[in-house]
Amino acid sequence: MDFTRLGLLVELERLGTMAAVSEVTGMSTSAVSKHFAVLEKEAGVPLLAPDGRRVRLTPAGRRLAEHAVDILARVEAARAEFEGEGEPVGRVDLVMYTSAAPVVLPALRRLRQDHPGIEVQLTEHESEQALTLLQTGGADLGVVYQYSLLPRDFPGTLTVRPIGGEELLLSQPSEGADSRTLTRRRLRELSGASWIASPYRGDEEALVQRMCADAGFTPRIAHRVDTLDLFEELVAAGLGIGVVPRLAAVTRRGVAHAPLGELGGVREVFLAGRTGGWAWRPIQLVARYLHEAAGEVLDDVPPLPA
């Protein structure tokens, strides 16, 4: 049903006569009458009944007028929300990888304090799966990453905005460890080591393979684990070494970390969302709070887009 005609129905209930409706709307009485005739066809039931020289609302007309008040109020609230007038309200489905928590959690705490009408629902996925979820409509916004030495081919249906980067570290047993930035010579000294990779993050293993190939050897991937605690326990026990992003690195007895430097590049972090979705104010606000939180824990954070 046309919102203009619903508005005329509300005015008729309020004012009581076609002439009064004509006066407040600036329409002619015949134009108002024609609108009501169309509205009755749309509703499929009589909305007006003759009452002497006037008309009155039928029970169905009064009931539709009650609905129209609520409908028009919601339309006005939606218009104000999209135009940035009033408190934003809505649900944003956010997908993130596990070690993005130092960015995501502070952002969501602040967002809840400042804009309680925005509900954010989290789903945890690696970036490859997150990008698929974003394309199919299963998520509105994603925190995703790529390794600078292994750039992704981001789908053209998504808008991707950088929010910073983090250095990559070599996680190694602390006994006899060198915490200086890794060099090719020192990496070659680890050619006989057992390496740890994820069973789910193929780009992580690809990065290890590339680094080691650059140093002149093929690494032996001895363990494939996805739990950070188990990863660090294997390292502490002297059973393997591996690559870990700075935000995921934990201080654990028996484990030392050394920056990979140019051998490993950095992990670049992005916000991704369907191109048409960025216009919605709740998504804009969630993205802004994530960007601000990234500024506290990531490196090379770019200015917030206008």
Side-chain angles (χ1 to χ4, degrees), residues 118-139:
I118 299 177
E119 176 191 4
V120 178
Q121 294 196 358
L122 285 178
T123 301
E124 179 190 4
H125 272 300
E126 284 303 319
S127 293
E128 196 68 37
Q129 293 73 34
L131 292 171
T132 299
L133 205 62
L134 289 164
Q135 291 181 87
T136 59

Side-chain angles (χ1 to χ4, degrees), residues 94-174:
L94 176 66
V95 59
M96 57 170 281
Y97 58 92
T98 307
S99 58
V103 172
V104 173
L105 298 186
L108 296 192
R109 281 195 295 267
R110 294 166 190 164
L111 180 75
R112 183 175 59 184
Q113 292 172 356
D114 296 345
H115 301 285
I118 299 177
E119 176 191 4
V120 178
Q121 294 196 358
L122 285 178
T123 301
E124 179 190 4
H125 272 300
E126 284 303 319
S127 293
E128 196 68 37
Q129 293 73 34
L131 292 171
T132 299
L133 205 62
L134 289 164
Q135 291 181 87
T136 59
D140 301 308
L141 193 63
V143 183
V144 298
Y145 70 85
Q146 69 177 13
Y147 293 115
S148 60
L149 298 183
L150 298 169
R152 294 184 188 276
D153 184 15
F154 288 111
T157 55
L158 303 180
T159 294
V160 181
R161 298 176 178 174
I163 59 169
E166 58 177 320
E167 67 177 340
L168 298 171
L169 309 173
L170 177 70
S171 186
Q172 56 190 322
S174 58

Side-chain angles (χ1 to χ4, degrees), residues 6 10 13 63-75:
L6 289 176
V10 171
E13 182 186 42
R63 183 61 177 152
L64 182 57
E66 292 174 5
H67 281 301
V69 170
D70 184 54
I71 291 168
L72 295 174
R74 288 176 179 269
V75 170

Side-chain angles (χ1 to χ4, degrees), residues 12-32:
L12 181 60
E13 182 186 42
R14 182 173 72 90
L15 299 171
T17 68
M18 290 275 200
V21 173
S22 173
E23 184 178 349
V24 299
T25 61
M27 296 183 185
S28 67
T29 304
S30 62
V32 172

Side-chain angles (χ1 to χ4, degrees), residues 104-267:
V104 173
L105 298 186
L108 296 192
R109 281 195 295 267
R110 294 166 190 164
L111 180 75
R112 183 175 59 184
Q113 292 172 356
D114 296 345
H115 301 285
I118 299 177
E119 176 191 4
V120 178
Q121 294 196 358
L122 285 178
T123 301
E124 179 190 4
H125 272 300
E126 284 303 319
S127 293
E128 196 68 37
Q129 293 73 34
L131 292 171
T132 299
L133 205 62
L134 289 164
Q135 291 181 87
T136 59
D140 301 308
L141 193 63
V143 183
V144 298
Y145 70 85
Q146 69 177 13
Y147 293 115
S148 60
L149 298 183
L150 298 169
R152 294 184 188 276
D153 184 15
F154 288 111
T157 55
L158 303 180
T159 294
V160 181
R161 298 176 178 174
I163 59 169
E166 58 177 320
E167 67 177 340
L168 298 171
L169 309 173
L170 177 70
S171 186
Q172 56 190 322
S174 58
E175 185 176 352
D178 191 333
S179 60
R180 293 174 298 173
T181 300
L182 203 64
T183 63
R184 286 178 178 80
R185 180 182 63 79
R186 285 178 49 220
L187 184 56
R188 280 194 293 271
E189 293 173 356
L190 300 172
S191 60
S194 297
W195 287 79
I196 308 169
S198 167
Y200 307 117
R201 296 185 294 277
D203 51 355
E204 179 182 289
E205 182 169 339
L207 179 64
V208 170
Q209 296 283 359
R210 175 174 176 147
M211 284 171 38
C212 295
D214 191 34
F217 69 95
T218 300
R220 181 171 67 89
I221 308 296
H223 313 289
R224 286 183 171 84
V225 301
D226 193 55
T227 304
L228 182 60
D229 283 344
L230 179 56
F231 174 95
E232 297 284 9
E233 287 176 8
L234 285 169
V235 173
L239 298 175
I241 60 175
V243 172
V244 62
R246 176 174 56 81
L247 292 187
V250 296
T251 302
R252 181 189 292 271
R253 186 174 182 179
V255 177
H257 297 102
L260 294 182
E262 65 176 17
L263 291 180
V266 298
R267 184 157 80 165

